[in-house]
Amino acid sequence: MNKQMTPRVYSAPPPPSSQVMFSYRRTATDERLDQQHELLTELADTLARLEQTIAAHQQLEGEHQHRWQERFQKEEEARQALIEALTMQNEMMHRLEQREAERQQQTEGMASRLAGQEKLYEKLIDQLELQHIFHQTVIERLEAQEAAQYKITRQLDSLKEALYERCSFIVDSIKQLVVSFLPGRSPNTRQSTAKPKESLHFSKAGK
């Protein structure tokens, strides 16, 4: 390529001084090439190490990302489980509140019923007390009437006895008068007249 552009430069052999210059230049070029080669080698090594570092970093980052994904998945599962548990707890609390409200209503209803029954019992107790007082009064009156009736019965019995004694005395007196007015009657007649007196005494004993 240089021969085509500058054929005259390379048409004749160069002088001795030019050969020295060329050799010097060639040596410097070689050094530069060696330096560049070393630099390229170092650069390649550096790039290789960089690639290894990047690959290791990517691997570590991938592992970290995988771990983060697993952790995030576990946290998501835990969060979902916590949400479900909280939802169930809220539902249970809502049911318990409903049951508590129903029990409260039932308790209030029972309390009102008990209050009504207590008032009814108080009324019944008052009525029973009044009935007891009335029955006690009736019993006392009946006892008083029974005592009065018993007293009247005793008095009637006494009057009956006194009247019977008087009647017996009068009958005996009349019989004696009749016997005295009829002296011609036989003793059998007197004995027969005495028999009704004995039968009268027997009737008194039977009574």
Side-chain angles (χ1 to χ4, degrees):
M1 186 176 179
N2 289 328
K3 290 180 179 181
Q4 291 178 2
M5 293 179 66
T6 58
R8 293 180 181 180
V9 174
Y10 299 99
S11 63
S17 60
S18 62
Q19 286 183 355
V20 176
M21 290 292 294
F22 181 73
S23 299
Y24 178 74
R25 289 177 180 175
R26 188 176 181 183
T27 304
T29 302
D30 291 336
E31 289 178 357
R32 288 180 181 178
L33 288 174
D34 292 336
Q35 289 178 358
Q36 290 178 359
H37 182 70
E38 290 177 358
L39 289 173
L40 288 172
T41 303
E42 291 178 358
L43 182 60
D45 293 337
T46 304
L47 289 174
R49 289 193 298 270
L50 183 60
E51 288 177 356
Q52 291 178 357
T53 304
I54 291 171
H57 181 71
Q58 288 178 352
Q59 186 178 359
L60 290 173
E61 188 174 356
E63 291 177 357
H64 285 301
Q65 187 175 3
H66 183 69
R67 290 176 183 175
W68 277 106
Q69 286 179 355
E70 289 181 351
R71 185 176 179 182
F72 179 76
Q73 186 176 1
K74 290 180 180 178
E75 289 180 353
E76 184 67 21
E77 291 176 355
R79 188 173 66 85
Q80 189 67 27
L82 181 62
I83 290 171
E84 291 178 358
L86 290 174
T87 304
M88 291 178 65
Q89 186 177 4
N90 289 329
E91 290 178 356
M92 290 178 65
M93 290 294 294
H94 183 65
R95 291 178 183 175
L96 288 174
E97 288 177 356
Q98 288 181 349
R99 290 180 181 177
E100 187 65 24
E102 291 176 357
R103 289 180 181 175
Q104 186 68 27
Q105 290 179 357
Q106 291 179 358
T107 304
E108 291 177 356
M110 290 177 67
S112 61
R113 290 178 183 176
L114 288 174
Q117 289 181 357
E118 186 176 358
K119 291 180 180 178
L120 180 61
Y121 290 157
E122 290 178 355
K123 290 181 180 179
L124 289 174
I125 289 169
D126 293 336
Q127 291 179 0
L128 288 173
E129 288 179 354
L130 291 174
Q131 289 180 359
H132 178 71
I133 293 170
F134 176 74
H135 291 162
Q136 191 68 27
T137 304
V138 170
I139 290 169
E140 290 177 356
R141 289 180 180 177
L142 289 174
E143 289 178 352
Q145 289 178 1
E146 186 177 359
Q149 187 176 1
Y150 179 75
K151 185 178 180 180
I152 293 170
T153 303
R154 291 291 300 275
Q155 290 177 356
L156 288 174
D157 291 337
S158 299
L159 289 174
K160 285 179 181 179
E161 290 178 358
L163 181 61
Y164 182 78
E165 290 177 356
R166 294 287 181 90
C167 289
S168 297
F169 178 76
I170 291 169
V171 169
D172 292 336
S173 299
I174 291 170
K175 286 180 179 181
Q176 289 177 2
L177 288 173
V178 170
V179 170
S180 62
F181 284 124
L182 298 173
R185 296 182 69 89
S186 63
N188 291 328
T189 305
R190 293 179 182 178
Q191 187 176 1
S192 63
T193 56
K195 285 181 179 180
K197 183 177 181 182
E198 292 177 358
S199 62
L200 184 61
H201 286 290
F202 288 148
S203 63
K204 179 179 177 183
K207 289 181 180 179

